[in-house]
Amino acid sequence: QITLKESGPTLVKPTQTLTLTCTFSGFSLSTSGVGVGWIRQPPGKALEWLALIYWDDDKRYSPSLQTSRLTITKDTSKNQVVLTMTHMDPVDTATYYCAHLTFNSRDYIQYFDYWGQGTLVTVSS
Amino acid sequence: SYELTQPPSVSVSPGQTAIITCSGDKLGEKYVCWYQQKPGQSPLLIMYQNRKRPSGIPERFSGSNSGNTATLTISGTQPMDEAEYYCQAWDSTIVVFGGGSKLTVL
């Protein structure tokens, strides 16, 4: 049974750095064909993809965010993926989700098939 | 940047067929996923690889993708299907979500 859970601060001040941790179980991020992504959702708005890390440590980032604001890392021994986002702004207020990615390298098919419950992060002074 | 366009809202009567579209440039050349999100809940994958349903997703959900448009079809729509629906595709190695469609069953 695959589960994921996000953790981190619920409130950050503008200009601060946000660090979120995704702790998962039921799979290993060292297994081929697996990834973990971060997706956020501002209140009442649509989903927005942020970053993704694969089992082989390949990383992808959303081009829509300011260059180098995001960093994604994994700790396979702890079953955790960490997302850091610098220079937080009130527009970054959102529910942040982490999700398990299944990747079929033969057909290059990939999808987010398990999601965490999400964690609401408010950016305010 | 690549964009996916969905109608903001779709309405359907119970038992009827709901069709939710997702448009993007040459979208038919990409694989599309669909997610269902009910208020206060996390998104749920209901369709991947254009037309494949994960285990546990009812058969009334079906998908297609051709040309510039992907379509999610809900046959015999039930009140429990009222939710926000998001399409998602890959632009090379970048994940793109549509803006979401609110399905109202009335």
Side-chain angles (χ1 to χ4, degrees), chain A residues 24-80:
Chain A
F24 55 84
S25 64
F27 68 96
S28 171
L29 202 37
S30 59
T31 301
S32 177
V34 173
V36 171
W38 284 94
I39 301 100
R40 72 179 179 181
Q41 185 173 38
K45 296 188 176 181
L47 301 171
E48 178 186 18
W49 172 70
L50 298 175
L52 171 60
I53 189 165
Y54 293 91
W55 76 97
D56 59 358
D57 209 37
D58 192 14
K59 302 167 186 177
R60 299 284 181 250
Y61 295 101
S62 169
S64 63
L65 267 71
Q66 237 175 337
T67 305
S68 75
R69 282 191 66 198
L70 295 173
T71 303
I72 190 169
T73 59
K74 64 181 175 75
D75 187 329
T76 305
S77 65
K78 293 183 179 179
N79 280 352
Q80 290 181 334

